Amino acid sequence: QVQLVESGGDLVQAGGSLRLSCAASGSIFSINAMAWYRQAPGKQREWVATISSGGSTNYADSAKGRFTISRDNAEKTVYLQMNSLKPEDTAVYYCNLDGRIKRYSPTYLYWGQGTQVTVSS
């Protein structure tokens, strides 16, 4: 059983910063990419950023220059540092990881339960 638990969401003023964390627990043999998504009220879930097992990163245009994704492989944790926050960043933020629980098992995409980020103007 693999579980992802996000934390760090909060209410912050525009221009402020937050650091989200997502820790994986359970039996995981290997983790490939880890990513952050977000879903604002009334909108579809959208991709924010991805980090590969080797540390390569990609960002949505809305996140470039303001957000930084990182990971700690030993702790099975992915982070999202968010700076210069805007009211339009308000959303529930979800993490996911692509991994396998055994050497020869297929990979699976695991999701966390989300953490609320609210940016006031």
Side-chain angles (χ1 to χ4, degrees), residues 22-98:
C22 172
S25 63
S27 179
I28 306 174
F29 176 78
S30 63
I31 299 174
N32 299 320
M34 304 180 81
W36 287 95
Y37 284 71
R38 68 185 183 185
Q39 187 167 18
K43 295 187 177 181
Q44 290 188 332
R45 189 172 299 189
E46 65 175 4
W47 168 70
V48 175
T50 299
I51 184 166
S52 72
S53 57
S56 298
T57 58
N58 283 288
Y59 297 92
D61 287 344
S62 59
K64 286 180 182 176
R66 300 188 301 126
F67 295 1
T68 302
I69 188 171
S70 61
R71 63 191 280 173
D72 183 330
N73 291 327
E75 296 296 326
K76 296 181 288 186
T77 300
V78 63
Y79 304 97
L80 186 67
Q81 177 67 43
M82 305 187 293
N83 300 326
S84 302
L85 283 162
K86 306 174 182 179
E88 50 263 45
D89 294 319
T90 295
V92 177
Y93 283 71
Y94 300 88
C95 67
N96 72 30
L97 72 81
D98 177 66

